[in-house]
Amino acid sequence: TKQEALSIASEVQSTVRSHGGIQGVIHSVFFGASPPHFQLRELSTGELVKCIYSSRKQYDELAMALKEQNAVVHVYGTIKTDLVNRQIEDLRVDKIEPAATFSKEDFDRFIGCAPGMLGDQGIQEFIDYVRERAS
């Protein structure tokens, strides 16, 4: 019934706060907004996440992150998540740091660490198989 649904909905915790981090690319910055924040395009989902910063240190970290175009950054802080819609509402920034770069040599060393993993397949064939692409 409608009454039961309302009763259940009132018991369900719709938002939760947790400490963690997200990885992405800075999409836009709102210096004059209150509170000042930036939008981060999260790498795994492509969603924009509002990241609210408050200190001069965080501003300086943001400025450093913007020096390289499309740099991937890690943003750590308190994340407010809407559990019903399974979406991050915002992140209160504690720290912004650039992601470590991953060179072709690093990739080659990684692939070479388990030589028998691919069997008789080449790397592209293996990737196509894992991604379920038709041959």
Side-chain angles (χ1 to χ4, degrees), residues 25-59:
V25 176
I26 296 172
H27 178 269
S28 50
V29 181
F30 302 89
F31 294 111
S34 183
H37 64 281
F38 59 92
Q39 297 280 352
L40 187 78
R41 178 134 348 246
E42 207 267 330
L43 287 184
S44 66
T45 65
E47 296 291 322
L48 288 175
V49 177
K50 182 179 183 178
C51 299
I52 301 166
Y53 64 94
S54 58
S55 73
R56 177 63 193 208
K57 178 179 176 274
Q58 294 162 353
Y59 176 88

PDB file of all heavy atoms in Angstrom, residues 25-59:
ATOM      1  N   VAL A  25      39.312  13.515 -14.786  1.00  0.00           N
ATOM      2  CA  VAL A  25      39.886  14.671 -15.454  1.00  0.00           C
ATOM      3  C   VAL A  25      39.048  15.891 -15.080  1.00  0.00           C
ATOM      4  O   VAL A  25      37.811  15.828 -15.099  1.00  0.00           O
ATOM      5  CB  VAL A  25      39.889  14.459 -16.984  1.00  0.00           C
ATOM      6  CG1 VAL A  25      40.389  15.691 -17.716  1.00  0.00           C
ATOM      7  CG2 VAL A  25      40.723  13.236 -17.357  1.00  0.00           C
ATOM      8  N   ILE A  26      39.711  16.982 -14.767  1.00  0.00           N
ATOM      9  CA  ILE A  26      38.985  18.202 -14.395  1.00  0.00           C
ATOM     10  C   ILE A  26      38.271  18.728 -15.632  1.00  0.00           C
ATOM     11  O   ILE A  26      38.885  18.966 -16.671  1.00  0.00           O
ATOM     12  CB  ILE A  26      39.939  19.251 -13.796  1.00  0.00           C
ATOM     13  CG1 ILE A  26      40.507  18.696 -12.487  1.00  0.00           C
ATOM     14  CG2 ILE A  26      39.209  20.574 -13.567  1.00  0.00           C
ATOM     15  CD1 ILE A  26      41.606  19.526 -11.876  1.00  0.00           C
ATOM     16  N   HIS A  27      36.970  18.883 -15.512  1.00  0.00           N
ATOM     17  CA  HIS A  27      36.118  19.286 -16.626  1.00  0.00           C
ATOM     18  C   HIS A  27      35.898  20.793 -16.642  1.00  0.00           C
ATOM     19  O   HIS A  27      35.972  21.428 -17.688  1.00  0.00           O
ATOM     20  CB  HIS A  27      34.779  18.546 -16.518  1.00  0.00           C
ATOM     21  CG  HIS A  27      33.799  18.899 -17.575  1.00  0.00           C
ATOM     22  ND1 HIS A  27      32.876  19.906 -17.429  1.00  0.00           N
ATOM     23  CD2 HIS A  27      33.606  18.380 -18.804  1.00  0.00           C
ATOM     24  CE1 HIS A  27      32.150  19.986 -18.522  1.00  0.00           C
ATOM     25  NE2 HIS A  27      32.573  19.061 -19.373  1.00  0.00           N
ATOM     26  N   SER A  28      35.625  21.378 -15.481  1.00  0.00           N
ATOM     27  CA  SER A  28      35.380  22.817 -15.385  1.00  0.00           C
ATOM     28  C   SER A  28      35.626  23.270 -13.952  1.00  0.00           C
ATOM     29  O   SER A  28      35.540  22.479 -13.021  1.00  0.00           O
ATOM     30  CB  SER A  28      33.953  23.162 -15.817  1.00  0.00           C
ATOM     31  OG  SER A  28      33.017  22.343 -15.163  1.00  0.00           O
ATOM     32  N   VAL A  29      35.933  24.574 -13.812  1.00  0.00           N
ATOM     33  CA  VAL A  29      36.247  25.147 -12.505  1.00  0.00           C
ATOM     34  C   VAL A  29      35.372  26.373 -12.290  1.00  0.00           C
ATOM     35  O   VAL A  29      35.179  27.171 -13.205  1.00  0.00           O
ATOM     36  CB  VAL A  29      37.736  25.542 -12.404  1.00  0.00           C
ATOM     37  CG1 VAL A  29      38.055  26.112 -11.033  1.00  0.00           C
ATOM     38  CG2 VAL A  29      38.635  24.356 -12.716  1.00  0.00           C
ATOM     39  N   PHE A  30      34.853  26.517 -11.076  1.00  0.00           N
ATOM     40  CA  PHE A  30      33.977  27.629 -10.721  1.00  0.00           C
ATOM     41  C   PHE A  30      34.598  28.373  -9.542  1.00  0.00           C
ATOM     42  O   PHE A  30      34.235  28.160  -8.390  1.00  0.00           O
ATOM     43  CB  PHE A  30      32.576  27.106 -10.375  1.00  0.00           C
ATOM     44  CG  PHE A  30      31.958  26.331 -11.508  1.00  0.00           C
ATOM     45  CD1 PHE A  30      32.157  24.969 -11.630  1.00  0.00           C
ATOM     46  CD2 PHE A  30      31.205  26.978 -12.465  1.00  0.00           C
ATOM     47  CE1 PHE A  30      31.604  24.259 -12.680  1.00  0.00           C
ATOM     48  CE2 PHE A  30      30.640  26.280 -13.529  1.00  0.00           C
ATOM     49  CZ  PHE A  30      30.844  24.907 -13.636  1.00  0.00           C
ATOM     50  N   PHE A  31      35.553  29.264  -9.852  1.00  0.00           N
ATOM     51  CA  PHE A  31      36.284  29.985  -8.814  1.00  0.00           C
ATOM     52  C   PHE A  31      35.384  30.927  -8.023  1.00  0.00           C
ATOM     53  O   PHE A  31      35.511  31.059  -6.827  1.00  0.00           O
ATOM     54  CB  PHE A  31      37.437  30.792  -9.424  1.00  0.00           C
ATOM     55  CG  PHE A  31      38.506  29.945 -10.035  1.00  0.00           C
ATOM     56  CD1 PHE A  31      38.691  29.931 -11.411  1.00  0.00           C
ATOM     57  CD2 PHE A  31      39.330  29.159  -9.256  1.00  0.00           C
ATOM     58  CE1 PHE A  31      39.683  29.161 -11.983  1.00  0.00           C
ATOM     59  CE2 PHE A  31      40.325  28.377  -9.825  1.00  0.00           C
ATOM     60  CZ  PHE A  31      40.485  28.375 -11.194  1.00  0.00           C
ATOM     61  N   GLY A  32      34.468  31.618  -8.705  1.00  0.00           N
ATOM     62  CA  GLY A  32      33.646  32.626  -8.050  1.00  0.00           C
ATOM     63  C   GLY A  32      32.394  32.074  -7.404  1.00  0.00           C
ATOM     64  O   GLY A  32      31.627  32.827  -6.807  1.00  0.00           O
ATOM     65  N   ALA A  33      32.163  30.780  -7.524  1.00  0.00           N
ATOM     66  CA  ALA A  33      30.953  30.180  -6.954  1.00  0.00           C
ATOM     67  C   ALA A  33      31.059  30.118  -5.438  1.00  0.00           C
ATOM     68  O   ALA A  33      32.141  30.203  -4.863  1.00  0.00           O
ATOM     69  CB  ALA A  33      30.749  28.775  -7.508  1.00  0.00           C
ATOM     70  N   SER A  34      29.940  29.978  -4.808  1.00  0.00           N
ATOM     71  CA  SER A  34      29.913  29.818  -3.359  1.00  0.00           C
ATOM     72  C   SER A  34      29.177  28.522  -3.032  1.00  0.00           C
ATOM     73  O   SER A  34      27.973  28.458  -3.215  1.00  0.00           O
ATOM     74  CB  SER A  34      29.211  31.002  -2.698  1.00  0.00           C
ATOM     75  OG  SER A  34      29.241  30.866  -1.304  1.00  0.00           O
ATOM     76  N   PRO A  35      29.888  27.505  -2.618  1.00  0.00           N
ATOM     77  CA  PRO A  35      31.324  27.409  -2.371  1.00  0.00           C
ATOM     78  C   PRO A  35      32.090  27.189  -3.675  1.00  0.00           C
ATOM     79  O   PRO A  35      31.525  26.674  -4.648  1.00  0.00           O
ATOM     80  CB  PRO A  35      31.434  26.173  -1.471  1.00  0.00           C
ATOM     81  CG  PRO A  35      30.325  25.286  -1.907  1.00  0.00           C
ATOM     82  CD  PRO A  35      29.198  26.235  -2.280  1.00  0.00           C
ATOM     83  N   PRO A  36      33.385  27.559  -3.690  1.00  0.00           N
ATOM     84  CA  PRO A  36      34.186  27.301  -4.890  1.00  0.00           C
ATOM     85  C   PRO A  36      34.297  25.796  -5.122  1.00  0.00           C
ATOM     86  O   PRO A  36      34.449  25.025  -4.179  1.00  0.00           O
ATOM     87  CB  PRO A  36      35.535  27.930  -4.568  1.00  0.00           C
ATOM     88  CG  PRO A  36      35.561  28.122  -3.104  1.00  0.00           C
ATOM     89  CD  PRO A  36      34.155  28.190  -2.631  1.00  0.00           C
ATOM     90  N   HIS A  37      34.192  25.403  -6.379  1.00  0.00           N
ATOM     91  CA  HIS A  37      34.243  23.977  -6.686  1.00  0.00           C
ATOM     92  C   HIS A  37      34.695  23.756  -8.131  1.00  0.00           C
ATOM     93  O   HIS A  37      34.808  24.702  -8.906  1.00  0.00           O
ATOM     94  CB  HIS A  37      32.878  23.320  -6.458  1.00  0.00           C
ATOM     95  CG  HIS A  37      31.801  23.813  -7.366  1.00  0.00           C
ATOM     96  ND1 HIS A  37      31.138  25.007  -7.159  1.00  0.00           N
ATOM     97  CD2 HIS A  37      31.279  23.287  -8.505  1.00  0.00           C
ATOM     98  CE1 HIS A  37      30.247  25.182  -8.112  1.00  0.00           C
ATOM     99  NE2 HIS A  37      30.315  24.161  -8.946  1.00  0.00           N
ATOM    100  N   PHE A  38      34.934  22.505  -8.451  1.00  0.00           N
ATOM    101  CA  PHE A  38      35.216  22.112  -9.826  1.00  0.00           C
ATOM    102  C   PHE A  38      34.455  20.835 -10.123  1.00  0.00           C
ATOM    103  O   PHE A  38      34.026  20.119  -9.216  1.00  0.00           O
ATOM    104  CB  PHE A  38      36.719  21.948 -10.079  1.00  0.00           C
ATOM    105  CG  PHE A  38      37.409  20.934  -9.215  1.00  0.00           C
ATOM    106  CD1 PHE A  38      37.559  19.619  -9.624  1.00  0.00           C
ATOM    107  CD2 PHE A  38      37.941  21.297  -7.984  1.00  0.00           C
ATOM    108  CE1 PHE A  38      38.205  18.686  -8.823  1.00  0.00           C
ATOM    109  CE2 PHE A  38      38.597  20.372  -7.178  1.00  0.00           C
ATOM    110  CZ  PHE A  38      38.727  19.067  -7.606  1.00  0.00           C
ATOM    111  N   GLN A  39      34.247  20.601 -11.412  1.00  0.00           N
ATOM    112  CA  GLN A  39      33.589  19.374 -11.852  1.00  0.00           C
ATOM    113  C   GLN A  39      34.683  18.429 -12.342  1.00  0.00           C
ATOM    114  O   GLN A  39      35.550  18.823 -13.123  1.00  0.00           O
ATOM    115  CB  GLN A  39      32.613  19.660 -13.002  1.00  0.00           C
ATOM    116  CG  GLN A  39      31.468  20.563 -12.622  1.00  0.00           C
ATOM    117  CD  GLN A  39      30.360  19.810 -11.894  1.00  0.00           C
ATOM    118  OE1 GLN A  39      30.358  18.586 -11.797  1.00  0.00           O
ATOM    119  NE2 GLN A  39      29.422  20.563 -11.359  1.00  0.00           N
ATOM    120  N   LEU A  40      34.633  17.199 -11.870  1.00  0.00           N
ATOM    121  CA  LEU A  40      35.591  16.177 -12.270  1.00  0.00           C
ATOM    122  C   LEU A  40      34.841  15.127 -13.089  1.00  0.00           C
ATOM    123  O   LEU A  40      33.808  14.622 -12.642  1.00  0.00           O
ATOM    124  CB  LEU A  40      36.221  15.531 -11.032  1.00  0.00           C
ATOM    125  CG  LEU A  40      37.363  14.575 -11.320  1.00  0.00           C
ATOM    126  CD1 LEU A  40      38.640  15.357 -11.611  1.00  0.00           C
ATOM    127  CD2 LEU A  40      37.598  13.650 -10.141  1.00  0.00           C
ATOM    128  N   ARG A  41      35.330  14.832 -14.295  1.00  0.00           N
ATOM    129  CA  ARG A  41      34.735  13.757 -15.091  1.00  0.00           C
ATOM    130  C   ARG A  41      35.373  12.457 -14.630  1.00  0.00           C
ATOM    131  O   ARG A  41      36.530  12.187 -14.874  1.00  0.00           O
ATOM    132  CB  ARG A  41      34.951  13.977 -16.578  1.00  0.00           C
ATOM    133  CG  ARG A  41      34.382  12.838 -17.363  1.00  0.00           C
ATOM    134  CD  ARG A  41      33.557  13.076 -18.564  1.00  0.00           C
ATOM    135  NE  ARG A  41      33.043  14.350 -18.895  1.00  0.00           N
ATOM    136  CZ  ARG A  41      31.744  14.638 -18.901  1.00  0.00           C
ATOM    137  NH1 ARG A  41      30.860  13.734 -18.494  1.00  0.00           N
ATOM    138  NH2 ARG A  41      31.324  15.819 -19.282  1.00  0.00           N
ATOM    139  N   GLU A  42      34.588  11.667 -13.909  1.00  0.00           N
ATOM    140  CA  GLU A  42      35.067  10.428 -13.305  1.00  0.00           C
ATOM    141  C   GLU A  42      35.393   9.416 -14.406  1.00  0.00           C
ATOM    142  O   GLU A  42      34.631   9.268 -15.359  1.00  0.00           O
ATOM    143  CB  GLU A  42      33.985   9.894 -12.353  1.00  0.00           C
ATOM    144  CG  GLU A  42      34.515   9.055 -11.226  1.00  0.00           C
ATOM    145  CD  GLU A  42      34.527   7.599 -11.560  1.00  0.00           C
ATOM    146  OE1 GLU A  42      33.691   7.151 -12.339  1.00  0.00           O
ATOM    147  OE2 GLU A  42      35.403   6.894 -11.039  1.00  0.00           O
ATOM    148  N   LEU A  43      36.561   8.772 -14.315  1.00  0.00           N
ATOM    149  CA  LEU A  43      37.034   7.919 -15.400  1.00  0.00           C
ATOM    150  C   LEU A  43      36.186   6.672 -15.628  1.00  0.00           C
ATOM    151  O   LEU A  43      35.928   6.305 -16.756  1.00  0.00           O
ATOM    152  CB  LEU A  43      38.491   7.498 -15.165  1.00  0.00           C
ATOM    153  CG  LEU A  43      39.547   8.570 -15.379  1.00  0.00           C
ATOM    154  CD1 LEU A  43      40.941   7.973 -15.217  1.00  0.00           C
ATOM    155  CD2 LEU A  43      39.423   9.243 -16.724  1.00  0.00           C
ATOM    156  N   SER A  44      35.770   6.009 -14.570  1.00  0.00           N
ATOM    157  CA  SER A  44      35.089   4.726 -14.766  1.00  0.00           C
ATOM    158  C   SER A  44      33.649   4.872 -15.231  1.00  0.00           C
ATOM    159  O   SER A  44      33.140   4.004 -15.931  1.00  0.00           O
ATOM    160  CB  SER A  44      35.142   3.881 -13.485  1.00  0.00           C
ATOM    161  OG  SER A  44      34.388   4.490 -12.464  1.00  0.00           O
ATOM    162  N   THR A  45      32.981   5.973 -14.886  1.00  0.00           N
ATOM    163  CA  THR A  45      31.570   6.138 -15.257  1.00  0.00           C
ATOM    164  C   THR A  45      31.327   7.245 -16.271  1.00  0.00           C
ATOM    165  O   THR A  45      30.285   7.266 -16.912  1.00  0.00           O
ATOM    166  CB  THR A  45      30.706   6.457 -14.021  1.00  0.00           C
ATOM    167  OG1 THR A  45      31.110   7.733 -13.493  1.00  0.00           O
ATOM    168  CG2 THR A  45      30.828   5.379 -12.963  1.00  0.00           C
ATOM    169  N   GLY A  46      32.256   8.192 -16.370  1.00  0.00           N
ATOM    170  CA  GLY A  46      32.054   9.343 -17.244  1.00  0.00           C
ATOM    171  C   GLY A  46      31.170  10.412 -16.640  1.00  0.00           C
ATOM    172  O   GLY A  46      30.900  11.435 -17.256  1.00  0.00           O
ATOM    173  N   GLU A  47      30.707  10.184 -15.403  1.00  0.00           N
ATOM    174  CA  GLU A  47      29.823  11.138 -14.728  1.00  0.00           C
ATOM    175  C   GLU A  47      30.616  12.338 -14.219  1.00  0.00           C
ATOM    176  O   GLU A  47      31.788  12.215 -13.867  1.00  0.00           O
ATOM    177  CB  GLU A  47      29.124  10.470 -13.540  1.00  0.00           C
ATOM    178  CG  GLU A  47      28.198   9.336 -13.919  1.00  0.00           C
ATOM    179  CD  GLU A  47      26.955   9.802 -14.650  1.00  0.00           C
ATOM    180  OE1 GLU A  47      26.411  10.870 -14.293  1.00  0.00           O
ATOM    181  OE2 GLU A  47      26.537   9.102 -15.588  1.00  0.00           O
ATOM    182  N   LEU A  48      29.940  13.496 -14.166  1.00  0.00           N
ATOM    183  CA  LEU A  48      30.549  14.683 -13.567  1.00  0.00           C
ATOM    184  C   LEU A  48      30.288  14.672 -12.068  1.00  0.00           C
ATOM    185  O   LEU A  48      29.168  14.426 -11.636  1.00  0.00           O
ATOM    186  CB  LEU A  48      29.959  15.954 -14.180  1.00  0.00           C
ATOM    187  CG  LEU A  48      30.373  16.252 -15.607  1.00  0.00           C
ATOM    188  CD1 LEU A  48      29.627  17.474 -16.128  1.00  0.00           C
ATOM    189  CD2 LEU A  48      31.872  16.469 -15.719  1.00  0.00           C
ATOM    190  N   VAL A  49      31.332  14.925 -11.287  1.00  0.00           N
ATOM    191  CA  VAL A  49      31.232  14.955  -9.831  1.00  0.00           C
ATOM    192  C   VAL A  49      31.620  16.352  -9.354  1.00  0.00           C
ATOM    193  O   VAL A  49      32.682  16.860  -9.722  1.00  0.00           O
ATOM    194  CB  VAL A  49      32.150  13.898  -9.181  1.00  0.00           C
ATOM    195  CG1 VAL A  49      32.100  13.993  -7.670  1.00  0.00           C
ATOM    196  CG2 VAL A  49      31.781  12.499  -9.653  1.00  0.00           C
ATOM    197  N   LYS A  50      30.771  16.954  -8.533  1.00  0.00           N
ATOM    198  CA  LYS A  50      31.057  18.269  -7.961  1.00  0.00           C
ATOM    199  C   LYS A  50      32.041  18.091  -6.812  1.00  0.00           C
ATOM    200  O   LYS A  50      31.756  17.399  -5.843  1.00  0.00           O
ATOM    201  CB  LYS A  50      29.763  18.910  -7.458  1.00  0.00           C
ATOM    202  CG  LYS A  50      29.947  20.294  -6.882  1.00  0.00           C
ATOM    203  CD  LYS A  50      28.603  20.859  -6.440  1.00  0.00           C
ATOM    204  CE  LYS A  50      28.730  22.273  -5.918  1.00  0.00           C
ATOM    205  NZ  LYS A  50      27.408  22.819  -5.547  1.00  0.00           N
ATOM    206  N   CYS A  51      33.209  18.744  -6.929  1.00  0.00           N
ATOM    207  CA  CYS A  51      34.248  18.654  -5.914  1.00  0.00           C
ATOM    208  C   CYS A  51      34.417  20.031  -5.275  1.00  0.00           C
ATOM    209  O   CYS A  51      34.829  20.987  -5.944  1.00  0.00           O
ATOM    210  CB  CYS A  51      35.560  18.204  -6.536  1.00  0.00           C
ATOM    211  SG  CYS A  51      35.478  16.569  -7.316  1.00  0.00           S
ATOM    212  N   ILE A  52      34.100  20.121  -4.001  1.00  0.00           N
ATOM    213  CA  ILE A  52      34.108  21.390  -3.276  1.00  0.00           C
ATOM    214  C   ILE A  52      35.411  21.514  -2.494  1.00  0.00           C
ATOM    215  O   ILE A  52      35.757  20.632  -1.713  1.00  0.00           O
ATOM    216  CB  ILE A  52      32.897  21.463  -2.324  1.00  0.00           C
ATOM    217  CG1 ILE A  52      31.599  21.329  -3.121  1.00  0.00           C
ATOM    218  CG2 ILE A  52      32.926  22.751  -1.512  1.00  0.00           C
ATOM    219  CD1 ILE A  52      30.371  21.045  -2.275  1.00  0.00           C
ATOM    220  N   TYR A  53      36.132  22.617  -2.729  1.00  0.00           N
ATOM    221  CA  TYR A  53      37.385  22.845  -2.006  1.00  0.00           C
ATOM    222  C   TYR A  53      37.260  24.106  -1.171  1.00  0.00           C
ATOM    223  O   TYR A  53      36.421  24.965  -1.432  1.00  0.00           O
ATOM    224  CB  TYR A  53      38.577  22.922  -2.964  1.00  0.00           C
ATOM    225  CG  TYR A  53      38.537  24.081  -3.927  1.00  0.00           C
ATOM    226  CD1 TYR A  53      39.180  25.272  -3.637  1.00  0.00           C
ATOM    227  CD2 TYR A  53      37.857  23.985  -5.133  1.00  0.00           C
ATOM    228  CE1 TYR A  53      39.146  26.338  -4.520  1.00  0.00           C
ATOM    229  CE2 TYR A  53      37.812  25.050  -6.022  1.00  0.00           C
ATOM    230  CZ  TYR A  53      38.460  26.222  -5.713  1.00  0.00           C
ATOM    231  OH  TYR A  53      38.423  27.273  -6.590  1.00  0.00           O
ATOM    232  N   SER A  54      38.111  24.225  -0.139  1.00  0.00           N
ATOM    233  CA  SER A  54      37.934  25.363   0.770  1.00  0.00           C
ATOM    234  C   SER A  54      39.231  26.029   1.194  1.00  0.00           C
ATOM    235  O   SER A  54      39.208  27.159   1.653  1.00  0.00           O
ATOM    236  CB  SER A  54      37.166  24.920   2.010  1.00  0.00           C
ATOM    237  OG  SER A  54      37.851  23.867   2.648  1.00  0.00           O
ATOM    238  N   SER A  55      40.350  25.377   1.034  1.00  0.00           N
ATOM    239  CA  SER A  55      41.586  25.952   1.571  1.00  0.00           C
ATOM    240  C   SER A  55      42.509  26.450   0.452  1.00  0.00           C
ATOM    241  O   SER A  55      42.378  26.067  -0.705  1.00  0.00           O
ATOM    242  CB  SER A  55      42.339  24.925   2.415  1.00  0.00           C
ATOM    243  OG  SER A  55      42.934  23.952   1.587  1.00  0.00           O
ATOM    244  N   ARG A  56      43.450  27.280   0.828  1.00  0.00           N
ATOM    245  CA  ARG A  56      44.445  27.773  -0.104  1.00  0.00           C
ATOM    246  C   ARG A  56      45.302  26.620  -0.633  1.00  0.00           C
ATOM    247  O   ARG A  56      45.664  26.577  -1.807  1.00  0.00           O
ATOM    248  CB  ARG A  56      45.333  28.837   0.588  1.00  0.00           C
ATOM    249  CG  ARG A  56      46.453  29.366  -0.261  1.00  0.00           C
ATOM    250  CD  ARG A  56      45.915  30.075  -1.477  1.00  0.00           C
ATOM    251  NE  ARG A  56      46.969  30.314  -2.446  1.00  0.00           N
ATOM    252  CZ  ARG A  56      46.963  31.308  -3.287  1.00  0.00           C
ATOM    253  NH1 ARG A  56      45.958  32.156  -3.299  1.00  0.00           N
ATOM    254  NH2 ARG A  56      47.949  31.455  -4.124  1.00  0.00           N
ATOM    255  N   LYS A  57      45.602  25.661   0.221  1.00  0.00           N
ATOM    256  CA  LYS A  57      46.385  24.491  -0.181  1.00  0.00           C
ATOM    257  C   LYS A  57      45.669  23.730  -1.294  1.00  0.00           C
ATOM    258  O   LYS A  57      46.279  23.344  -2.288  1.00  0.00           O
ATOM    259  CB  LYS A  57      46.625  23.581   1.015  1.00  0.00           C
ATOM    260  CG  LYS A  57      47.393  22.312   0.692  1.00  0.00           C
ATOM    261  CD  LYS A  57      47.595  21.482   1.954  1.00  0.00           C
ATOM    262  CE  LYS A  57      48.266  20.178   1.662  1.00  0.00           C
ATOM    263  NZ  LYS A  57      47.343  19.123   1.262  1.00  0.00           N
ATOM    264  N   GLN A  58      44.364  23.528  -1.152  1.00  0.00           N
ATOM    265  CA  GLN A  58      43.590  22.823  -2.176  1.00  0.00           C
ATOM    266  C   GLN A  58      43.530  23.635  -3.470  1.00  0.00           C
ATOM    267  O   GLN A  58      43.602  23.075  -4.565  1.00  0.00           O
ATOM    268  CB  GLN A  58      42.188  22.515  -1.665  1.00  0.00           C
ATOM    269  CG  GLN A  58      42.199  21.532  -0.532  1.00  0.00           C
ATOM    270  CD  GLN A  58      40.908  21.534   0.269  1.00  0.00           C
ATOM    271  OE1 GLN A  58      40.029  22.369   0.065  1.00  0.00           O
ATOM    272  NE2 GLN A  58      40.796  20.598   1.192  1.00  0.00           N
ATOM    273  N   TYR A  59      43.426  24.965  -3.337  1.00  0.00           N
ATOM    274  CA  TYR A  59      43.445  25.838  -4.505  1.00  0.00           C
ATOM    275  C   TYR A  59      44.769  25.685  -5.249  1.00  0.00           C
ATOM    276  O   TYR A  59      44.798  25.564  -6.477  1.00  0.00           O
ATOM    277  CB  TYR A  59      43.234  27.297  -4.085  1.00  0.00           C
ATOM    278  CG  TYR A  59      43.322  28.283  -5.220  1.00  0.00           C
ATOM    279  CD1 TYR A  59      42.197  28.598  -5.982  1.00  0.00           C
ATOM    280  CD2 TYR A  59      44.534  28.893  -5.544  1.00  0.00           C
ATOM    281  CE1 TYR A  59      42.287  29.494  -7.036  1.00  0.00           C
ATOM    282  CE2 TYR A  59      44.623  29.782  -6.602  1.00  0.00           C
ATOM    283  CZ  TYR A  59      43.501  30.082  -7.342  1.00  0.00           C
ATOM    284  OH  TYR A  59      43.596  30.957  -8.384  1.00  0.00           O
TER     285      TYR A  59
END
